Amino acid sequence: MVNFKWDQKRALEVAKEDGFADGIAVGETRGERKAKMKIALSLLKKGLPIGVITDSTNLSLEEVRKIAKDNGLAF
């Protein structure tokens, strides 16, 4: 038989720690994506081929096209 004692204070601490870790992970993912988009824009401005940009940033062709369009760049 399992002996289990409920500790509300500890449960709240664990939930808070889990939420904090999740928030950090989301922030890191957003930051990485923003950096990739910034790099893609820089490469577009330098006139690099789209294939090189998608390979270098792991962004899709559609994402790179949108970045170009949003910044008034044609390719």
Side-chain angles (χ1 to χ4, degrees):
M1 185 170 204
V2 176
N3 186 8
F4 179 77
K5 181 180 175 189
W6 175 254
D7 183 350
Q8 184 175 3
K9 183 177 178 182
R10 180 65 186 140
L12 290 173
E13 288 173 4
V14 170
K16 182 178 176 181
E17 290 168 4
D18 288 347
F20 186 73
D22 290 345
I24 288 174
V26 168
E28 288 174 348
T29 300
R30 287 180 183 169
E32 289 171 4
R33 177 155 175 75
K34 190 173 181 177
K36 287 180 181 182
M37 294 174 75
K38 188 175 180 179
I39 292 167
L41 177 58
S42 177
L43 297 175
L44 281 165
K45 287 180 179 180
K46 292 180 184 213
L48 269 69
I50 299 300
V52 171
I53 298 171
T54 57
D55 289 345
S56 299
T57 61
N58 290 325
L59 295 173
S60 69
L61 178 61
E62 293 78 26
E63 290 171 313
V64 174
R65 284 184 176 159
K66 182 174 181 347
I67 292 167
K69 181 182 175 188
D70 291 349
N71 289 279
L73 303 171
F75 60 90

Short mmCIF file of all heavy atoms in Angstrom, two decimals:
data_model
loop_
_atom_site.label_atom_id
_atom_site.label_comp_id
_atom_site.label_asym_id
_atom_site.label_seq_id
_atom_site.Cartn_x
_atom_site.Cartn_y
_atom_site.Cartn_z
N MET A 1 0.83 -1.17 0.00
CA MET A 1 0.00 0.00 0.00
C MET A 1 0.89 1.25 0.00
O MET A 1 1.92 1.29 0.65
CB MET A 1 -0.90 -0.04 1.22
CG MET A 1 -1.89 1.06 1.26
SD MET A 1 -3.04 0.71 2.59
CE MET A 1 -4.39 1.61 2.02
N VAL A 2 0.45 2.25 -0.69
CA VAL A 2 1.20 3.49 -0.81
C VAL A 2 0.80 4.45 0.30
O VAL A 2 -0.38 4.66 0.56
CB VAL A 2 0.94 4.16 -2.18
CG1 VAL A 2 1.63 5.49 -2.26
CG2 VAL A 2 1.37 3.24 -3.29
N ASN A 3 1.79 5.02 0.94
CA ASN A 3 1.54 6.00 1.98
C ASN A 3 1.72 7.38 1.35
O ASN A 3 2.81 7.74 0.94
CB ASN A 3 2.52 5.80 3.14
CG ASN A 3 2.20 6.70 4.31
OD1 ASN A 3 1.18 7.39 4.32
ND2 ASN A 3 3.08 6.71 5.29
N PHE A 4 0.66 8.14 1.29
CA PHE A 4 0.70 9.43 0.61
C PHE A 4 0.08 10.49 1.51
O PHE A 4 -1.04 10.35 1.98
CB PHE A 4 -0.09 9.36 -0.71
CG PHE A 4 -0.12 10.65 -1.45
CD1 PHE A 4 0.98 11.08 -2.18
CD2 PHE A 4 -1.25 11.45 -1.43
CE1 PHE A 4 0.95 12.28 -2.87
CE2 PHE A 4 -1.29 12.66 -2.11
CZ PHE A 4 -0.18 13.07 -2.83
N LYS A 5 0.86 11.54 1.72
CA LYS A 5 0.35 12.65 2.52
C LYS A 5 0.33 13.88 1.62
O LYS A 5 1.33 14.24 1.01
CB LYS A 5 1.26 12.90 3.72
CG LYS A 5 0.78 14.03 4.60
CD LYS A 5 1.70 14.26 5.78
CE LYS A 5 1.22 15.47 6.55
NZ LYS A 5 2.17 15.87 7.57
N TRP A 6 -0.80 14.52 1.53
CA TRP A 6 -0.97 15.70 0.67
C TRP A 6 -0.34 16.91 1.34
O TRP A 6 -0.60 17.21 2.51
CB TRP A 6 -2.44 15.97 0.41
CG TRP A 6 -2.69 17.23 -0.36
CD1 TRP A 6 -3.18 18.39 0.14
CD2 TRP A 6 -2.43 17.48 -1.73
NE1 TRP A 6 -3.26 19.34 -0.83
CE2 TRP A 6 -2.79 18.80 -2.01
CE3 TRP A 6 -1.93 16.71 -2.78
CZ2 TRP A 6 -2.67 19.37 -3.26
CZ3 TRP A 6 -1.82 17.28 -4.03
CH2 TRP A 6 -2.19 18.60 -4.25
N ASP A 7 0.52 17.59 0.59
CA ASP A 7 1.17 18.79 1.10
C ASP A 7 0.88 19.90 0.10
O ASP A 7 1.53 20.02 -0.93
CB ASP A 7 2.68 18.57 1.24
CG ASP A 7 3.40 19.76 1.83
OD1 ASP A 7 2.79 20.84 1.97
OD2 ASP A 7 4.59 19.61 2.15
N GLN A 8 -0.13 20.70 0.40
CA GLN A 8 -0.57 21.74 -0.53
C GLN A 8 0.53 22.75 -0.81
O GLN A 8 0.73 23.16 -1.95
CB GLN A 8 -1.81 22.45 -0.01
CG GLN A 8 -2.34 23.47 -1.00
CD GLN A 8 -3.65 24.10 -0.56
OE1 GLN A 8 -4.15 23.82 0.52
NE2 GLN A 8 -4.20 24.94 -1.41
N LYS A 9 1.27 23.14 0.19
CA LYS A 9 2.35 24.12 -0.01
C LYS A 9 3.38 23.58 -1.00
O LYS A 9 3.80 24.28 -1.91
CB LYS A 9 3.01 24.45 1.33
CG LYS A 9 4.08 25.51 1.23
CD LYS A 9 4.65 25.85 2.60
CE LYS A 9 5.76 26.89 2.46
NZ LYS A 9 6.37 27.22 3.74
N ARG A 10 3.78 22.34 -0.82
CA ARG A 10 4.77 21.73 -1.73
C ARG A 10 4.18 21.57 -3.13
O ARG A 10 4.87 21.79 -4.12
CB ARG A 10 5.24 20.38 -1.19
CG ARG A 10 6.25 19.71 -2.07
CD ARG A 10 7.55 20.50 -2.16
NE ARG A 10 8.41 19.87 -3.14
CZ ARG A 10 9.17 20.51 -4.02
NH1 ARG A 10 9.22 21.83 -4.02
NH2 ARG A 10 9.89 19.86 -4.87
N ALA A 11 2.92 21.22 -3.21
CA ALA A 11 2.28 21.07 -4.52
C ALA A 11 2.28 22.40 -5.28
O ALA A 11 2.53 22.44 -6.48
CB ALA A 11 0.86 20.55 -4.36
N LEU A 12 2.01 23.49 -4.58
CA LEU A 12 2.03 24.81 -5.21
C LEU A 12 3.44 25.20 -5.64
O LEU A 12 3.63 25.79 -6.70
CB LEU A 12 1.45 25.85 -4.26
CG LEU A 12 -0.05 25.76 -4.02
CD1 LEU A 12 -0.47 26.74 -2.93
CD2 LEU A 12 -0.83 26.00 -5.29
N GLU A 13 4.45 24.86 -4.84
CA GLU A 13 5.84 25.13 -5.20
C GLU A 13 6.23 24.39 -6.47
O GLU A 13 6.87 24.96 -7.35
CB GLU A 13 6.78 24.73 -4.05
CG GLU A 13 6.72 25.64 -2.85
CD GLU A 13 7.53 25.10 -1.68
OE1 GLU A 13 8.21 24.06 -1.82
OE2 GLU A 13 7.49 25.73 -0.61
N VAL A 14 5.86 23.13 -6.56
CA VAL A 14 6.17 22.32 -7.74
C VAL A 14 5.46 22.89 -8.97
O VAL A 14 6.06 23.01 -10.04
CB VAL A 14 5.79 20.84 -7.52
CG1 VAL A 14 5.87 20.05 -8.80
CG2 VAL A 14 6.69 20.23 -6.45
N ALA A 15 4.21 23.25 -8.83
CA ALA A 15 3.46 23.83 -9.95
C ALA A 15 4.10 25.13 -10.42
O ALA A 15 4.22 25.39 -11.62
CB ALA A 15 2.00 24.06 -9.55
N LYS A 16 4.54 25.94 -9.47
CA LYS A 16 5.20 27.21 -9.80
C LYS A 16 6.50 26.95 -10.54
O LYS A 16 6.79 27.59 -11.56
CB LYS A 16 5.47 28.00 -8.52
CG LYS A 16 6.09 29.36 -8.75
CD LYS A 16 6.28 30.09 -7.42
CE LYS A 16 6.98 31.41 -7.61
NZ LYS A 16 7.18 32.10 -6.33
N GLU A 17 7.29 25.99 -10.07
CA GLU A 17 8.56 25.65 -10.73
C GLU A 17 8.31 25.14 -12.15
O GLU A 17 9.03 25.50 -13.08
CB GLU A 17 9.30 24.59 -9.91
CG GLU A 17 9.85 25.11 -8.60
CD GLU A 17 10.34 24.01 -7.67
OE1 GLU A 17 10.33 22.83 -8.07
OE2 GLU A 17 10.72 24.34 -6.54
N ASP A 18 7.29 24.30 -12.32
CA ASP A 18 6.96 23.78 -13.64
C ASP A 18 6.52 24.90 -14.58
O ASP A 18 6.92 24.94 -15.74
CB ASP A 18 5.85 22.72 -13.55
CG ASP A 18 6.32 21.42 -12.94
OD1 ASP A 18 7.55 21.22 -12.80
OD2 ASP A 18 5.45 20.59 -12.58
N GLY A 19 5.72 25.81 -14.08
CA GLY A 19 5.26 26.93 -14.89
C GLY A 19 6.41 27.83 -15.29
O GLY A 19 6.49 28.31 -16.42
N PHE A 20 7.33 28.06 -14.38
CA PHE A 20 8.51 28.88 -14.66
C PHE A 20 9.36 28.23 -15.75
O PHE A 20 9.77 28.89 -16.70
CB PHE A 20 9.32 29.08 -13.38
CG PHE A 20 10.47 30.02 -13.54
CD1 PHE A 20 10.27 31.38 -13.65
CD2 PHE A 20 11.77 29.54 -13.57
CE1 PHE A 20 11.33 32.26 -13.80
CE2 PHE A 20 12.84 30.40 -13.72
CZ PHE A 20 12.63 31.76 -13.84
N ALA A 21 9.59 26.93 -15.65
CA ALA A 21 10.38 26.20 -16.64
C ALA A 21 9.70 26.25 -18.02
O ALA A 21 10.36 26.44 -19.04
CB ALA A 21 10.60 24.76 -16.20
N ASP A 22 8.39 26.10 -18.03
CA ASP A 22 7.64 26.17 -19.28
C ASP A 22 7.76 27.56 -19.90
O ASP A 22 7.93 27.70 -21.11
CB ASP A 22 6.16 25.83 -19.07
CG ASP A 22 5.93 24.37 -18.75
OD1 ASP A 22 6.85 23.55 -18.96
OD2 ASP A 22 4.82 24.05 -18.28
N GLY A 23 7.69 28.58 -19.08
CA GLY A 23 7.81 29.96 -19.57
C GLY A 23 9.17 30.23 -20.17
O GLY A 23 9.29 30.89 -21.21
N ILE A 24 10.21 29.72 -19.55
CA ILE A 24 11.57 29.88 -20.08
C ILE A 24 11.68 29.19 -21.43
O ILE A 24 12.23 29.75 -22.38
CB ILE A 24 12.61 29.36 -19.09
CG1 ILE A 24 12.71 30.30 -17.90
CG2 ILE A 24 13.97 29.19 -19.76
CD1 ILE A 24 13.60 29.82 -16.79
N ALA A 25 11.16 27.99 -21.55
CA ALA A 25 11.23 27.24 -22.79
C ALA A 25 10.50 27.98 -23.93
O ALA A 25 11.01 28.07 -25.05
CB ALA A 25 10.63 25.84 -22.62
N VAL A 26 9.34 28.53 -23.63
CA VAL A 26 8.59 29.29 -24.64
C VAL A 26 9.37 30.52 -25.06
O VAL A 26 9.48 30.84 -26.24
CB VAL A 26 7.18 29.67 -24.10
CG1 VAL A 26 6.51 30.68 -25.01
CG2 VAL A 26 6.31 28.43 -23.96
N GLY A 27 9.95 31.22 -24.10
CA GLY A 27 10.73 32.42 -24.40
C GLY A 27 11.95 32.11 -25.26
O GLY A 27 12.27 32.85 -26.20
N GLU A 28 12.62 31.02 -24.97
CA GLU A 28 13.78 30.62 -25.76
C GLU A 28 13.37 30.30 -27.20
O GLU A 28 14.04 30.71 -28.14
CB GLU A 28 14.47 29.42 -25.13
CG GLU A 28 15.22 29.75 -23.87
CD GLU A 28 15.79 28.54 -23.16
OE1 GLU A 28 15.42 27.39 -23.51
OE2 GLU A 28 16.62 28.73 -22.26
N THR A 29 12.28 29.59 -27.35
CA THR A 29 11.80 29.24 -28.68
C THR A 29 11.45 30.49 -29.48
O THR A 29 11.81 30.61 -30.65
CB THR A 29 10.56 28.32 -28.58
OG1 THR A 29 10.94 27.13 -27.88
CG2 THR A 29 10.03 27.94 -29.95
N ARG A 30 10.78 31.43 -28.85
CA ARG A 30 10.42 32.68 -29.54
C ARG A 30 11.67 33.47 -29.92
O ARG A 30 11.75 34.04 -31.01
CB ARG A 30 9.52 33.54 -28.66
CG ARG A 30 8.12 33.01 -28.54
CD ARG A 30 7.27 33.90 -27.66
NE ARG A 30 5.94 33.34 -27.50
CZ ARG A 30 5.07 33.78 -26.63
NH1 ARG A 30 5.36 34.80 -25.84
NH2 ARG A 30 3.88 33.21 -26.53
N GLY A 31 12.64 33.51 -29.03
CA GLY A 31 13.88 34.22 -29.30
C GLY A 31 14.65 33.61 -30.46
O GLY A 31 15.19 34.32 -31.32
N GLU A 32 14.71 32.29 -30.49
CA GLU A 32 15.39 31.60 -31.58
C GLU A 32 14.70 31.88 -32.91
O GLU A 32 15.36 32.13 -33.92
CB GLU A 32 15.44 30.10 -31.32
CG GLU A 32 16.38 29.70 -30.21
CD GLU A 32 16.27 28.25 -29.81
OE1 GLU A 32 15.51 27.49 -30.44
OE2 GLU A 32 16.94 27.87 -28.84
N ARG A 33 13.40 31.85 -32.91
CA ARG A 33 12.64 32.11 -34.15
C ARG A 33 12.87 33.54 -34.62
O ARG A 33 13.07 33.79 -35.81
CB ARG A 33 11.16 31.87 -33.92
CG ARG A 33 10.31 32.18 -35.13
CD ARG A 33 9.03 31.40 -35.11
NE ARG A 33 8.18 31.77 -36.20
CZ ARG A 33 8.37 31.42 -37.46
NH1 ARG A 33 9.39 30.67 -37.78
NH2 ARG A 33 7.54 31.81 -38.40
N LYS A 34 12.85 34.48 -33.69
CA LYS A 34 13.08 35.88 -34.05
C LYS A 34 14.47 36.06 -34.64
O LYS A 34 14.65 36.79 -35.61
CB LYS A 34 12.90 36.76 -32.81
CG LYS A 34 12.88 38.23 -33.10
CD LYS A 34 12.52 39.02 -31.84
CE LYS A 34 12.47 40.50 -32.14
NZ LYS A 34 12.06 41.29 -30.99
N ALA A 35 15.46 35.39 -34.07
CA ALA A 35 16.83 35.48 -34.58
C ALA A 35 16.92 34.91 -35.99
O ALA A 35 17.58 35.49 -36.87
CB ALA A 35 17.78 34.74 -33.65
N LYS A 36 16.26 33.78 -36.23
CA LYS A 36 16.26 33.18 -37.57
C LYS A 36 15.63 34.12 -38.60
O LYS A 36 16.12 34.25 -39.72
CB LYS A 36 15.50 31.85 -37.57
CG LYS A 36 16.22 30.73 -36.89
CD LYS A 36 15.39 29.46 -36.91
CE LYS A 36 16.07 28.32 -36.21
NZ LYS A 36 15.28 27.08 -36.29
N MET A 37 14.56 34.78 -38.20
CA MET A 37 13.89 35.70 -39.12
C MET A 37 14.78 36.91 -39.41
O MET A 37 14.83 37.39 -40.55
CB MET A 37 12.55 36.13 -38.53
CG MET A 37 11.57 34.96 -38.44
SD MET A 37 10.03 35.37 -37.61
CE MET A 37 9.23 36.32 -38.87
N LYS A 38 15.50 37.38 -38.42
CA LYS A 38 16.41 38.50 -38.61
C LYS A 38 17.55 38.10 -39.55
O LYS A 38 17.94 38.88 -40.43
CB LYS A 38 16.96 38.95 -37.25
CG LYS A 38 17.77 40.21 -37.29
CD LYS A 38 18.17 40.66 -35.89
CE LYS A 38 18.98 41.93 -35.94
NZ LYS A 38 19.35 42.38 -34.60
N ILE A 39 18.08 36.92 -39.37
CA ILE A 39 19.13 36.42 -40.26
C ILE A 39 18.61 36.28 -41.68
O ILE A 39 19.28 36.66 -42.64
CB ILE A 39 19.69 35.08 -39.74
CG1 ILE A 39 20.45 35.31 -38.44
CG2 ILE A 39 20.56 34.40 -40.78
CD1 ILE A 39 20.79 34.04 -37.67
N ALA A 40 17.41 35.73 -41.84
CA ALA A 40 16.82 35.57 -43.16
C ALA A 40 16.67 36.92 -43.85
O ALA A 40 16.99 37.05 -45.05
CB ALA A 40 15.46 34.87 -43.06
N LEU A 41 16.22 37.93 -43.14
CA LEU A 41 16.08 39.26 -43.71
C LEU A 41 17.43 39.80 -44.16
O LEU A 41 17.56 40.35 -45.26
CB LEU A 41 15.43 40.21 -42.71
CG LEU A 41 15.27 41.67 -43.16
CD1 LEU A 41 14.44 41.75 -44.43
CD2 LEU A 41 14.66 42.50 -42.05
N SER A 42 18.43 39.61 -43.36
CA SER A 42 19.78 40.07 -43.71
C SER A 42 20.27 39.37 -44.97
O SER A 42 20.84 40.01 -45.87
CB SER A 42 20.73 39.80 -42.55
OG SER A 42 22.05 40.17 -42.89
N LEU A 43 20.05 38.08 -45.06
CA LEU A 43 20.48 37.32 -46.23
C LEU A 43 19.69 37.72 -47.47
O LEU A 43 20.25 37.78 -48.58
CB LEU A 43 20.37 35.82 -45.97
CG LEU A 43 21.26 35.27 -44.84
CD1 LEU A 43 20.97 33.80 -44.59
CD2 LEU A 43 22.73 35.49 -45.14
N LEU A 44 18.41 38.00 -47.30
CA LEU A 44 17.60 38.48 -48.43
C LEU A 44 18.14 39.81 -48.96
O LEU A 44 18.23 40.00 -50.17
CB LEU A 44 16.14 38.65 -48.00
CG LEU A 44 15.29 37.40 -47.91
CD1 LEU A 44 14.01 37.68 -47.13
CD2 LEU A 44 14.97 36.87 -49.29
N LYS A 45 18.47 40.70 -48.05
CA LYS A 45 18.99 42.00 -48.44
C LYS A 45 20.32 41.88 -49.19
O LYS A 45 20.64 42.71 -50.03
CB LYS A 45 19.17 42.91 -47.22
CG LYS A 45 17.85 43.40 -46.65
CD LYS A 45 18.07 44.28 -45.43
CE LYS A 45 16.76 44.81 -44.88
NZ LYS A 45 16.97 45.66 -43.69
N LYS A 46 21.08 40.84 -48.90
CA LYS A 46 22.36 40.62 -49.57
C LYS A 46 22.19 39.90 -50.91
O LYS A 46 23.15 39.72 -51.63
CB LYS A 46 23.30 39.83 -48.67
CG LYS A 46 23.74 40.63 -47.47
CD LYS A 46 24.66 39.85 -46.58
CE LYS A 46 24.97 40.70 -45.36
NZ LYS A 46 26.27 40.51 -44.83
N GLY A 47 20.95 39.49 -51.19
CA GLY A 47 20.65 38.86 -52.47
C GLY A 47 20.99 37.39 -52.57
O GLY A 47 21.12 36.86 -53.67
N LEU A 48 21.13 36.73 -51.45
CA LEU A 48 21.43 35.30 -51.49
C LEU A 48 20.23 34.51 -52.02
O LEU A 48 19.08 34.92 -51.83
CB LEU A 48 21.80 34.78 -50.10
CG LEU A 48 23.29 34.83 -49.77
CD1 LEU A 48 23.78 36.25 -49.64
CD2 LEU A 48 23.60 34.01 -48.57
N PRO A 49 20.50 33.38 -52.65
CA PRO A 49 19.40 32.54 -53.17
C PRO A 49 18.50 32.05 -52.03
O PRO A 49 18.96 31.77 -50.92
CB PRO A 49 20.12 31.37 -53.82
CG PRO A 49 21.51 31.84 -54.07
CD PRO A 49 21.81 32.84 -53.00
N ILE A 50 17.23 31.93 -52.34
CA ILE A 50 16.24 31.50 -51.35
C ILE A 50 16.59 30.15 -50.75
O ILE A 50 16.44 29.94 -49.55
CB ILE A 50 14.82 31.46 -51.98
CG1 ILE A 50 14.42 32.84 -52.47
CG2 ILE A 50 13.79 30.93 -50.99
CD1 ILE A 50 14.38 33.89 -51.42
N GLY A 51 17.07 29.24 -51.58
CA GLY A 51 17.44 27.91 -51.08
C GLY A 51 18.52 27.98 -50.02
O GLY A 51 18.49 27.22 -49.04
N VAL A 52 19.47 28.87 -50.19
CA VAL A 52 20.53 29.03 -49.20
C VAL A 52 19.93 29.58 -47.90
O VAL A 52 20.30 29.15 -46.81
CB VAL A 52 21.63 29.98 -49.74
CG1 VAL A 52 22.63 30.33 -48.64
CG2 VAL A 52 22.33 29.36 -50.94
N ILE A 53 18.99 30.50 -48.03
CA ILE A 53 18.37 31.11 -46.85
C ILE A 53 17.54 30.08 -46.08
O ILE A 53 17.64 29.98 -44.85
CB ILE A 53 17.51 32.33 -47.24
CG1 ILE A 53 18.42 33.40 -47.87
CG2 ILE A 53 16.76 32.89 -46.03
CD1 ILE A 53 17.68 34.55 -48.50
N THR A 54 16.74 29.31 -46.80
CA THR A 54 15.92 28.30 -46.12
C THR A 54 16.80 27.23 -45.47
O THR A 54 16.51 26.79 -44.36
CB THR A 54 14.89 27.65 -47.07
OG1 THR A 54 15.58 27.07 -48.18
CG2 THR A 54 13.87 28.65 -47.55
N ASP A 55 17.87 26.83 -46.14
CA ASP A 55 18.77 25.83 -45.56
C ASP A 55 19.51 26.38 -44.34
O ASP A 55 19.72 25.67 -43.37
CB ASP A 55 19.80 25.37 -46.60
CG ASP A 55 19.20 24.51 -47.69
OD1 ASP A 55 18.06 24.02 -47.52
OD2 ASP A 55 19.87 24.32 -48.73
N SER A 56 19.89 27.64 -44.41
CA SER A 56 20.66 28.25 -43.32
C SER A 56 19.83 28.53 -42.08
O SER A 56 20.35 28.49 -40.96
CB SER A 56 21.29 29.56 -43.80
OG SER A 56 22.15 29.32 -44.88
N THR A 57 18.57 28.84 -42.26
CA THR A 57 17.73 29.25 -41.14
C THR A 57 16.71 28.20 -40.70
O THR A 57 16.09 28.35 -39.66
CB THR A 57 16.94 30.53 -41.51
OG1 THR A 57 16.11 30.25 -42.64
CG2 THR A 57 17.88 31.69 -41.81
N ASN A 58 16.53 27.18 -41.51
CA ASN A 58 15.50 26.16 -41.27
C ASN A 58 14.10 26.76 -41.29
O ASN A 58 13.17 26.21 -40.68
CB ASN A 58 15.74 25.40 -39.96
CG ASN A 58 16.93 24.49 -40.04
OD1 ASN A 58 17.22 23.91 -41.09
ND2 ASN A 58 17.66 24.37 -38.97
N LEU A 59 13.94 27.89 -41.96
CA LEU A 59 12.61 28.46 -42.18
C LEU A 59 12.07 27.90 -43.48
O LEU A 59 12.83 27.56 -44.39
CB LEU A 59 12.68 29.99 -42.26
CG LEU A 59 13.12 30.72 -40.99
CD1 LEU A 59 13.30 32.21 -41.27
CD2 LEU A 59 12.11 30.52 -39.87
N SER A 60 10.75 27.84 -43.60
CA SER A 60 10.15 27.34 -44.83
C SER A 60 10.21 28.40 -45.92
O SER A 60 10.43 29.59 -45.65
CB SER A 60 8.68 26.96 -44.58
OG SER A 60 7.91 28.12 -44.35
N LEU A 61 10.01 27.97 -47.14
CA LEU A 61 9.99 28.88 -48.28
C LEU A 61 8.91 29.94 -48.08
O LEU A 61 9.14 31.13 -48.34
CB LEU A 61 9.74 28.11 -49.58
CG LEU A 61 9.64 28.91 -50.86
CD1 LEU A 61 10.94 29.67 -51.12
CD2 LEU A 61 9.32 27.99 -52.03
N GLU A 62 7.75 29.53 -47.59
CA GLU A 62 6.66 30.47 -47.36
C GLU A 62 7.03 31.52 -46.31
O GLU A 62 6.69 32.70 -46.45
CB GLU A 62 5.39 29.73 -46.92
CG GLU A 62 4.77 28.84 -47.99
CD GLU A 62 5.52 27.52 -48.16
OE1 GLU A 62 6.19 27.05 -47.21
OE2 GLU A 62 5.48 26.96 -49.27
N GLU A 63 7.72 31.08 -45.27
CA GLU A 63 8.13 32.03 -44.23
C GLU A 63 9.12 33.05 -44.76
O GLU A 63 9.02 34.24 -44.46
CB GLU A 63 8.75 31.27 -43.05
CG GLU A 63 7.76 30.44 -42.25
CD GLU A 63 8.42 29.54 -41.24
OE1 GLU A 63 9.39 28.84 -41.58
OE2 GLU A 63 7.94 29.53 -40.08
N VAL A 64 10.06 32.60 -45.58
CA VAL A 64 11.05 33.51 -46.15
C VAL A 64 10.37 34.47 -47.12
O VAL A 64 10.68 35.67 -47.14
CB VAL A 64 12.20 32.73 -46.84
CG1 VAL A 64 13.15 33.68 -47.56
CG2 VAL A 64 12.95 31.88 -45.82
N ARG A 65 9.44 33.97 -47.90
CA ARG A 65 8.69 34.85 -48.82
C ARG A 65 7.92 35.92 -48.04
O ARG A 65 7.87 37.08 -48.45
CB ARG A 65 7.72 34.04 -49.67
CG ARG A 65 8.37 33.28 -50.78
CD ARG A 65 7.35 32.58 -51.63
NE ARG A 65 8.01 31.93 -52.75
CZ ARG A 65 7.50 30.95 -53.43
NH1 ARG A 65 6.31 30.46 -53.12
NH2 ARG A 65 8.17 30.41 -54.44
N LYS A 66 7.32 35.53 -46.93
CA LYS A 66 6.57 36.50 -46.12
C LYS A 66 7.51 37.57 -45.54
O LYS A 66 7.17 38.75 -45.54
CB LYS A 66 5.82 35.79 -44.99
CG LYS A 66 4.98 36.74 -44.14
CD LYS A 66 4.15 36.02 -43.13
CE LYS A 66 3.28 36.88 -42.27
NZ LYS A 66 3.46 38.28 -42.20
N ILE A 67 8.67 37.15 -45.08
CA ILE A 67 9.65 38.11 -44.56
C ILE A 67 10.04 39.10 -45.65
O ILE A 67 10.10 40.31 -45.42
CB ILE A 67 10.90 37.37 -44.01
CG1 ILE A 67 10.53 36.58 -42.77
CG2 ILE A 67 12.02 38.36 -43.71
CD1 ILE A 67 11.59 35.57 -42.34
N ALA A 68 10.28 38.58 -46.86
CA ALA A 68 10.64 39.45 -47.97
C ALA A 68 9.50 40.43 -48.28
O ALA A 68 9.72 41.65 -48.43
CB ALA A 68 10.96 38.61 -49.20
N LYS A 69 8.28 39.91 -48.37
CA LYS A 69 7.12 40.75 -48.69
C LYS A 69 6.91 41.82 -47.62
O LYS A 69 6.68 42.99 -47.94
CB LYS A 69 5.88 39.88 -48.82
CG LYS A 69 4.64 40.65 -49.16
CD LYS A 69 3.42 39.75 -49.24
CE LYS A 69 2.15 40.57 -49.45
NZ LYS A 69 0.96 39.74 -49.35
N ASP A 70 6.99 41.42 -46.35
CA ASP A 70 6.76 42.35 -45.24
C ASP A 70 7.80 43.47 -45.20
O ASP A 70 7.56 44.52 -44.59
CB ASP A 70 6.77 41.61 -43.90
CG ASP A 70 5.57 40.70 -43.73
OD1 ASP A 70 4.61 40.78 -44.54
OD2 ASP A 70 5.59 39.89 -42.77
N ASN A 71 8.95 43.24 -45.82
CA ASN A 71 10.02 44.22 -45.81
C ASN A 71 10.25 44.87 -47.17
O ASN A 71 11.30 45.48 -47.40
CB ASN A 71 11.31 43.58 -45.28
CG ASN A 71 11.21 43.30 -43.81
OD1 ASN A 71 11.42 44.18 -43.00
ND2 ASN A 71 10.86 42.06 -43.45
N GLY A 72 9.28 44.70 -48.06
CA GLY A 72 9.34 45.35 -49.36
C GLY A 72 10.44 44.82 -50.27
O GLY A 72 10.92 45.55 -51.14
N LEU A 73 10.81 43.57 -50.09
CA LEU A 73 11.83 42.96 -50.94
C LEU A 73 11.18 41.98 -51.91
O LEU A 73 10.31 41.22 -51.55
CB LEU A 73 12.86 42.21 -50.08
CG LEU A 73 13.58 43.04 -49.03
CD1 LEU A 73 14.39 42.13 -48.13
CD2 LEU A 73 14.47 44.07 -49.69
N ALA A 74 11.63 42.03 -53.14
CA ALA A 74 11.10 41.11 -54.14
C ALA A 74 12.20 40.13 -54.52
O ALA A 74 13.37 40.45 -54.54
CB ALA A 74 10.64 41.87 -55.38
N PHE A 75 11.79 38.93 -54.85
CA PHE A 75 12.75 37.94 -55.33
C PHE A 75 12.13 37.10 -56.40
O PHE A 75 10.98 37.06 -56.61
CB PHE A 75 13.32 37.10 -54.20
CG PHE A 75 12.30 36.31 -53.43
CD1 PHE A 75 11.96 35.04 -53.81
CD2 PHE A 75 11.71 36.85 -52.31
CE1 PHE A 75 11.02 34.32 -53.09
CE2 PHE A 75 10.78 36.14 -51.57
CZ PHE A 75 10.44 34.86 -51.96
#
